[in-house]
Amino acid sequence: MPPSFALSAAGNVALAWGGVLFWLCLGFAALFLQRARGLNDLIFPLGALGALFMAGVGIAGVLGTPTAIVLPIGLPDLPFHLRLDPLSGFFLTLLGGAAFGVTLVAWGYFRSLESGPLALIALWYHLFLAGMATVLLADDAYAFMVAWEVMALSSYFLVTSAHDQPEIRRAGFLYLLIAHVGAVALLLCFGVLQGGAGDYTFNSMRLAETTPYWASVAYLLALFGFGAKAGLVPLHVWLPEAHPAAPSPVSALMSGVMLKTAIYGLLRVTFDLLNIQLAWWGTLALALGLISALYGVIFAAVQSDMKRLLAWSSIENIGVILAGFGLTLIFHTDGKGALAALALTATLYHALNHAFFKGLLFTGAGAVLHTTGERNMDKLGGLMRVMPWTAWLTLIGALAIAGLPPLNGFVSEWLLLQAFLFTPGLNQPYLNMLIPVATAAVALAAALAAYVMVKFFGVTFLGVTRSGVVAQAHEAGCRERIGMIWLAAGCVLLGLFPAQVIGWLAPVARQLTGHTLPNDGNWLLLAPLDAERASYAPLLFLAVVAATLLLVFVWVRRVYHGHVRHAAPWDCGYPEQDARMQDTAEGFGQPIRHIFSAFMGVEREEPDPFDRQPRHSSATLDQIWFFVYLPIARLSNWISAQFGRLQHGSIQWYLIYSFATLIFLLVFVTG
Amino acid sequence: MALTYHLQVVNLLAALLLLISFAMLSQRRIVNLVTLFAWQGAALSASTAIVAWSTGQHHLYWSAGLTLLLKVIVMPWFFYRLVRQLDVNRDVEAMLNIPTTMLIGIALVIFAFNLALPISQMSGTVTRSTLGIAMACVLLAFLMMITRRKAITQVIGFLAMENSLFFAATSATYGMPLVVEMGVALDVLVGVFVLGIFFFQIRETFDSLDLRHMEKLKER
């Protein structure tokens, strides 16, 4: 590796740690200097610059050699080990790139807050960023868990920033609970990984020889722990609750970046820390990922709440990413290194894309929410005329997440499908038969994601205004617009220059799978394995699309326009058209609700025929909540109640407990 | 031989301690209970002094003196005053009837002797054979705390347990270091005064020192 990429003497990792410290200083400066006027206009832009710096360090980290430092902080004899290798560098780039745009949006979004709450939000926000960055840099389990908890707690406080509302407190509690159940699993996982050596640095874990049995235990614990953070079905229930509760820039960060830290952790544990990988791990991850993807997208299709829809869509995307991860594992254990590199590249690419387009969509939804105060799409509509900037930028995000070329979503999904199509070469006959089904599932999820986005964009921004809230709506401020333009530009550029991005990703693929994609250096044409078999030229595609559009535009304007006849004799049955006649979010989701009714509980309330003010309502319920979570909650309540019986209030009984314990211990000692 | 003679006196005092423990277990009136507690302290003090004299462990004299001062003079006097002020010198209601309690006590003594057998074989002190008795006294005092309903009897039971532990320490290892013993003695003294204040508070709140009223304090 060329040493020129090391930007400082101690290496890139020192620079990255400097960025973390910078964020920490900003957060505490916001807290202690909250009386200073105009502070908001200083803290958030500086935070955004820090994010940009982090992205730069991350890019250098991918290209450079791994660097590590040991920091003498924390408990005695337990210093923080930090390391920046290509994998960390990639995710650091993702963090910095998405956080730059989102922080600019946050700058405008939180402007109207009073100084006290604003200072707290600025503190938690920058702690959140610093925590996520430290998770990516940590090189021992202790530093990792500390950073992981900082990330979880600061995001909890961000989610519950409007804690005067009970449902937001409830959402925050659910988030905190699942985050901690996951953290416990991770703690156990690291306990297994250190293999009895008692040394919790990642370096010693890399050297530890684990048996297949214990490696599987560690992998399952990691899958559970990181799955809880990523929102893997059935651990996803906090996402649709926490995202609507959180302020929009926070949702954007949580969905775009924080979920990816879980993917990072899973990759780190599986490919880096464990010395063996087993084939069935990949099959399991693939199955869970596909279930998450389909489950998420189906539920996204039936939501009326913008942010809830986007949260479900995040579950879908995490599912796709996890399916890619599983496929990577399958290829890797099957000895197909180049294919594993392809699947891994697709997975990472999709993670990066998701950070950009989901950040863009959440900030777009946030701009709408900020100005209308309404999350329910059935009360919105026609916003494109009022807020054209937001609408067009959100459209770019929607097209990207729907997987349409020439935007970035298409590239990663195409790469992933390519990887799936190469599976017939596998040595496992059962997998060979099942993978086509999985391919179909991924394709179905991608198609339904497009459906979801048509619904999201169409109902919110197009059509006729549905309620009065839209009348007072105004365009998002210039700060939000700059942030969104950055994110949209990310979506476009990642879509137009995939060959460059994939070339940049090569060190990550080499680090994890030992192989890279054959990069033929053709910057125009993306051909993952073999140009004969499949290739994609985004710029060419863009040129054709643009040319077609121009041609149609000119045709309609110049040639056809003059022949339009204005007449309204019959109006096609719409003599009086009003807002209630257009398709609603509920109505748009109806076919999906009908087709997939087996997966979801639908609660309908039909009006009585004689009711003077008839009301019809229907709610879609997540069955997992009723079949998994409520029984567990009831069971733990029951167990607690049984233990509650121990409390008599009678001192005699308490003495008897001690007495029995004493006798038991004495017998135990002598026996 | 002088040692065996002293040893026999210590054994006698140990038997006395056990007897007093049984007497406390069967005693229904609080004033008599306090008297028995004072006698227990006296026996303990005497046995500690004899052990000190026979083995030449001089710090044990201090322990014996401290026991005499606190457990035979100060605390019984304090309890007599407390009983008078609180006017609680009636029959103490027991949770179990006395004969049943005695039978359980006998079972505990047998258990304690069995328990102490291997331990006293390991111990190198001259007084090791009394370890079983000391443990039996601990368990009996515990049993007294369990079976009585009045707050004062609980405290006396607690102090009797402390006496027995002290005796166990003396017989197994010639007592703890003096600093520890003085600390324990001070703790016990302060504890008794604090509990004395609590008695008044409990009576003020519940109009009685009966612990059954405190069951209201539990959740739900």
Side-chain angles (χ1 to χ4, degrees), chain A residues 641 644-645 647-656 658-659 662-663 666-667 669-670, chain B residues 95 108 111 115 118 135 139 142-143 145-149 154 211 214-215 218-220:
Chain A
R645 287 185 186 196
Q647 192 197 14
H648 284 272
S650 151
I651 289 180
Q652 270 79 22
W653 272 104
Y654 298 153
L655 287 172
I656 286 175
S658 332
F659 191 62
L662 179 69
I663 297 278
L666 285 174
V667 169
V669 163
T670 50
Chain B
M95 284 211 335
L108 285 178
F111 173 72
L115 201 67
M135 295 194 68
L139 294 180
F142 214 139
L143 189 62
M145 285 174 78
I146 291 174
T147 52
R148 301 305 162 90
R149 285 225 165 103
Q154 305 257 313
L211 292 173
M214 291 175 78
E215 287 176 26
K218 76 166 181 170
E219 273 181 60
R220 282 181 297 155

Side-chain angles (χ1 to χ4, degrees), chain A residues 90-91 94 255-256 260 263 293 313-325 342-358 400-403 408-416 442 446 449 494 501 505:
Chain A
F90 168 75
F91 280 93
L94 185 155
S255 177
K260 307 309 178 320
I263 301 296
S313 157
S314 292
I315 296 171
E316 180 241 322
N317 279 286
I318 283 293
V320 170
I321 293 171
L322 203 80
F325 164 77
L342 172 62
L344 181 70
T345 307
T347 308
L348 295 177
Y349 210 131
H350 198 69
L352 185 61
N353 290 343
H354 184 243
F356 277 92
F357 54 58
K358 193 47 69 67
I401 199 173
N408 59 353
F410 174 78
V411 178
S412 51
E413 288 189 0
W414 183 75
L415 281 176
L416 191 63
V442 170
L494 285 173
V501 180
L505 280 174

Side-chain angles (χ1 to χ4, degrees), chain A residues 227-311:
Chain A
K229 182 60 88 181
L232 190 63
V233 172
L235 297 165
H236 64 284
V237 287
W238 62 270
L239 273 145
E241 304 297 323
H243 280 304
S248 299
V250 176
S251 307
L253 265 196
M254 283 173 69
S255 177
V257 184
M258 189 186 73
L259 304 188
K260 307 309 178 320
T261 61
I263 301 296
Y264 161 79
L266 203 53
L267 286 169
R268 171 71 72 195
V269 167
T270 313
F271 284 103
D272 191 18
L273 300 186
L274 281 167
N275 57 339
I276 46 170
Q277 289 87 30
L278 302 180
W280 66 268
W281 299 355
T283 318
L284 178 69
L286 180 62
L288 284 174
L290 289 175
I291 290 171
S292 296
L294 285 177
Y295 202 83
V297 77
I298 288 168
F299 271 86
V302 298
Q303 303 300 320
S304 302
D305 182 325
M306 290 192 288
K307 294 184 80 179
R308 210 173 269 266
L309 178 143
L310 292 177

Side-chain angles (χ1 to χ4, degrees), chain B:
Chain B
M1 197 175 160
L3 201 65
T4 48
Y5 173 66
H6 297 142
L7 203 57
Q8 278 178 5
V9 177
V10 170
N11 279 346
L12 178 69
L13 285 170
L16 229 96
L17 267 180
L18 189 60
L19 197 65
I20 292 171
S21 289
F22 269 105
M24 286 169 92
L25 204 56
S26 63
Q27 188 51 255
R28 286 171 187 274
R29 295 178 80 87
I30 290 180
V31 173
N32 297 353
L33 206 58
V34 176
T35 314
L36 283 170
F37 172 68
W39 276 113
Q40 196 186 31
L44 186 66
S45 175
S47 89
T48 313
I50 290 168
V51 170
W53 183 51
S54 65
T55 60
Q57 304 272 333
H58 289 288
H59 74 265
L60 282 181
Y61 283 124
W62 284 98
S63 303
L66 215 59
T67 311
L68 191 69
L69 181 73
L70 282 181
K71 289 176 182 161
V72 184
I73 300 167
V74 176
M75 284 184 197
W77 169 79
F78 179 73
F79 278 123
Y80 282 132
R81 232 189 59 172
L82 212 58
V83 169
R84 221 176 24 254
Q85 282 180 353
L86 290 168
D87 190 24
V88 286
N89 191 23
R90 288 179 221 108
D91 272 11
V92 180
E93 262 181 275
M95 284 211 335
L96 286 169
N97 61 15
I98 301 288
T100 317
T101 318
M102 300 295 267
L103 284 176
I104 295 176
I106 289 167
L108 285 178
V109 171
I110 294 168
F111 173 72
F113 270 77
N114 258 327
L115 201 67
L117 202 63
I119 303 174
S120 48
Q121 274 166 358
M122 283 190 297
S123 173
T125 57
V126 292
T127 49
R128 63 192 176 206
S129 51
T130 52
L131 188 63
I133 291 183
M135 295 194 68
C137 289
V138 171
L139 294 180
L140 287 176
F142 214 139
L143 189 62
M144 191 177 92
M145 285 174 78
I146 291 174
T147 52
R148 301 305 162 90
R149 285 225 165 103
K150 285 281 191 284
I152 282 195
T153 50
Q154 305 257 313
V155 174
I156 294 175
F158 179 72
L159 289 172
M161 196 155 77
E162 205 274 331
N163 273 349
S164 329
L165 280 174
F166 183 87
F167 187 60
T170 323
S171 54
T173 63
Y174 294 143
M176 294 166 274
L178 191 62
V179 182
V180 178
E181 264 171 31
M182 290 185 69
V184 171
L186 192 70
D187 275 356
V188 167
L189 192 65
V190 172
V192 165
F193 281 113
V194 171
L195 286 166
I197 296 164
F198 265 130
F199 292 153
F200 286 99
Q201 289 293 333
I202 291 172
R203 197 179 60 158
E204 212 164 276
T205 314
F206 297 108
D207 279 334
S208 155
L209 275 180
D210 196 324
L211 292 173
R212 265 178 302 181
H213 296 286
M214 291 175 78
E215 287 176 26
K216 283 181 218 150
L217 294 176
K218 76 166 181 170
E219 273 181 60
R220 282 181 297 155

